[in-house]
Amino acid sequence: MKVYKFGGASVNDAEGIRNLAAIVSAEKEDLVIVVSAFGKTTNALEKVLNAWISGDESYKDLLEDIYGYHLSVAEELLPSGNSGKSKIDISFAKLEEYLKSSKKAGYDFEYDQVVSYGEVWSTIIVSEFLKSQGLNAEWIDIRGNLITDDRFRDADILWNESSARIRNVFNFRGTKFYVTQGFIGSTIAGQTTTLGREGSDYTAALLANILDAEVVVVWKDVPGLLNADPKWLPDATRLEEVSYREAVEMTFSGAKVIHPKTIKPLHNKNIPLHVRSFLNPEQKGTVIKSDTVLKHGLPVFIKKENQIMISIVPKDFSFAMGENLSRIFFLFVQNGIKVNIVEASAVSIDVCIDDERTKVESVIGDLKSEFSAIYNEDVEMLSIRHYTPEAIERITRGREILLEQRTRSTVRFVVRKA
């Protein structure tokens, strides 16, 4: 069997879903189809959540716009009388009722309860359309099967419980295509969780590992993995083959094509990952697999925007390493902050993190009793794998370098415009 994953860009309208149906109908093997929320639905639901949390009644209009979008797609795709439209109505009504009656808990908890609906709606419509085209498809609610801890917005998988449930449900007895959600799961108690932004790739990898898939194919709006974002460097080149390790290094540095957690479940069972274009499905794309030989020899450029660099100094001027370092990173973990780069000197530590301002202000507040902390906002982290002097000059020209870090194969800079 195989696992196909379709991102939001590939299913942002009725034509995209017809294209999905054409791709999967050509597959002869049993198939699990993991689908993200349509288009920019996740962003739209975040706006609904933020308005609701702040007591702004405009959340109702924002939600109505999302409903209208999904209903228009369903009406274009599904025949009259199809149950898909009523399922969408029921699901939207359930969310409306939650927003009207529920007492607000912590932001991360509420995020998962609200934003997770995008994947539910998209998979209902995709599943019903596939069935209307005569395909043997079944909709599965992944939340009853992919079981996680209660770390909301970045949940970890409970492997034993998830494996048992998934193998029991995705058994292919009488079903050829299973359609399910990426990005979401649930606790044993049934509370919805999410796996981190863009986590649908990770869902596909988890299902492939548990079900011993032959291959995972991630369908994107790009021709494969490129050595740069073409919106940044227009001459970006497609990479034909990439090793698991190379892919991990790229995603860790901020490459957006694959979710950072995706590789490990595939590597553990030597399952290749293909990144292919849904616009040109006949093209080969990129294969990520177990191969220690570097095939492409090209510098790989990665830009991670919306960063903040924090400089931390102990108030008693003690050494930064040792207990101080341990204390600092404990506070970052406690505030749910992932550090993208760290540089330590004798009495100071510089870290670069995503600009999640609420979390940044919280950790600085926690640090202030023992440390002085200042930060630079509106900075970028630039990384080059397999760097050359020419490659470094190309991306740092005209920028002020705040921090530089080099290894044999990778160089990273924290920069701002000069």
Side-chain angles (χ1 to χ4, degrees):
M1 56 80 62
K2 299 179 181 179
V3 177
Y4 279 8
K5 181 263 177 176
F6 291 87
S10 64
V11 288
N12 65 351
D13 56 20
E15 189 56 37
I17 297 169
R18 292 189 186 99
N19 187 44
L20 178 155
I23 290 171
V24 302
S25 64
E27 180 54 60
K28 295 180 173 57
E29 303 287 336
D30 290 339
L31 198 60
V32 174
I33 304 165
V34 177
V35 182
S36 300
F38 288 171
K40 299 295 184 181
T41 297
T42 299
N43 294 339
L45 283 168
E46 288 175 344
K47 292 179 181 178
V48 170
L49 172 71
N50 292 333
W52 175 67
I53 288 282
S54 65
D56 185 348
E57 290 292 308
S58 68
Y59 83 82
K60 296 177 181 178
D61 293 331
L62 295 171
L63 185 59
E64 186 65 27
D65 289 343
I66 299 171
Y67 170 72
Y69 168 39
H70 285 77
L71 187 63
S72 67
V73 174
E75 288 177 342
E76 184 173 345
L77 289 172
L78 304 178
S80 178
N82 183 278
S83 63
K85 285 177 279 189
S86 64
K87 290 176 182 177
I88 292 295
D89 288 341
I90 292 168
S91 185
F92 266 93
K94 186 176 179 181
L95 177 55
E96 286 178 327
E97 192 63 28
Y98 180 85
L99 296 174
K100 287 177 183 177
S101 62
S102 179
K103 294 181 179 179
K104 300 178 181 67
Y107 183 86
D108 289 352
F109 173 83
E110 297 296 0
Y111 182 100
D112 286 1
Q113 309 320 301
V114 174
V115 175
S116 56
Y117 272 89
E119 278 69 18
V120 175
W121 300 328
S122 65
T123 52
I124 288 172
I125 294 173
V126 168
S127 176
E128 291 297 328
F129 179 67
L130 293 179
K131 288 191 285 188
S132 75
Q133 300 303 295
L135 299 178
N136 182 8
E138 180 180 345
W139 183 84
I140 299 291
D141 189 340
I142 199 67
R143 291 173 295 183
N145 301 287
L146 192 61
I147 307 303
T148 74
D149 62 13
D150 60 358
R151 185 179 178 183
F152 297 101
R153 291 189 72 191
D154 192 21
D156 288 323
I157 305 303
L158 302 184
W159 274 92
N160 290 340
E161 186 68 29
S162 296
S163 297
R165 296 190 187 201
I166 286 168
R167 290 191 185 111
N168 181 57
V169 171
F170 293 84
N171 55 41
F172 295 100
R173 290 196 290 267
T175 300
K176 181 174 177 58
F177 300 128
Y178 288 106
V179 179
T180 197
Q181 306 79 34
F183 178 55
I184 68 177
S186 73
T187 65
I188 289 178
Q191 294 175 319
T192 300
T193 57
T194 64
L195 308 181
R197 203 67 157 80
E198 310 293 342
S200 293
D201 295 340
Y202 185 37
T203 302
L206 292 167
L207 292 173
N209 177 291
I210 293 168
L211 297 171
D212 295 316
E214 171 190 339
V215 67
V216 174
V217 182
V218 175
W219 296 93
K220 299 277 187 178
D221 58 351
V222 292
L225 283 182
L226 308 179
N227 76 323
D229 183 343
K231 296 176 183 176
W232 175 33
L233 302 177
D235 60 346
T237 302
R238 179 178 65 87
L239 309 176
E240 293 187 7
E241 292 186 4
V242 173
S243 69
Y244 290 128
R245 178 174 179 176
E246 183 73 11
V248 168
E249 293 285 357
M250 290 171 65
T251 58
F252 176 79
S253 296
K256 298 178 181 178
V257 176
I258 298 295
H259 186 275
K261 292 182 179 179
T262 301
I263 303 302
K264 189 176 187 299
L266 302 178
H267 172 267
N268 288 352
K269 289 197 174 178
N270 200 26
I271 300 170
L273 170 64
H274 293 253
V275 181
R276 295 173 62 182
S277 169
F278 66 81
L279 300 172
N280 299 287
E282 71 285 353
Q283 295 180 357
K284 292 183 177 181
T286 299
V287 59
I288 301 171
K289 61 181 183 177
S290 180
D291 185 354
T292 58
V293 179
L294 181 65
K295 294 290 182 69
H296 58 80
L298 296 170
V300 176
F301 302 91
I302 303 159
K303 179 167 67 170
K304 195 171 179 66
E305 299 176 303
N306 301 316
Q307 299 292 291
I308 283 183
M309 191 177 85
I310 306 177
S311 298
I312 305 165
V313 180
K315 287 184 175 180
D316 62 3
F317 220 56
S318 58
F319 288 123
M321 302 300 284
E323 291 184 5
N324 279 328
L325 188 64
S326 175
R327 173 66 177 156
I328 289 167
F329 276 93
F330 170 78
L331 292 174
F332 276 90
V333 171
Q334 190 176 55
N335 283 278
I337 296 174
K338 295 179 180 178
V339 175
N340 298 321
I341 190 170
V342 59
E343 183 78 14
S345 68
V347 294
S348 69
I349 296 173
D350 295 317
V351 297
C352 189
I353 61 177
D354 294 345
D355 187 356
E356 298 179 278
R357 196 54 59 95
T358 301
K359 292 182 178 180
V360 171
E361 291 173 352
S362 177
V363 77
I364 288 178
D366 291 343
L367 288 165
K368 68 181 180 181
S369 63
E370 302 173 59
F371 304 92
S372 297
I374 59 173
Y375 60 85
N376 297 100
E377 55 188 2
D378 297 324
V379 303
E380 299 174 340
M381 189 175 83
L382 307 180
S383 303
I384 311 174
R385 293 278 297 162
H386 319 297
Y387 58 89
T388 64
E390 295 79 14
I392 292 172
E393 169 66 16
R394 180 180 186 186
I395 67 167
T396 60
R397 188 188 306 120
R399 288 180 166 91
E400 178 187 1
I401 298 174
L402 304 176
L403 186 151
E404 176 179 343
Q405 201 172 73
R406 296 191 189 213
T407 67
R408 291 181 181 179
S409 59
T410 303
V411 60
R412 294 189 177 93
F413 302 96
V414 178
V415 303
R416 63 184 173 192
K417 292 181 179 179

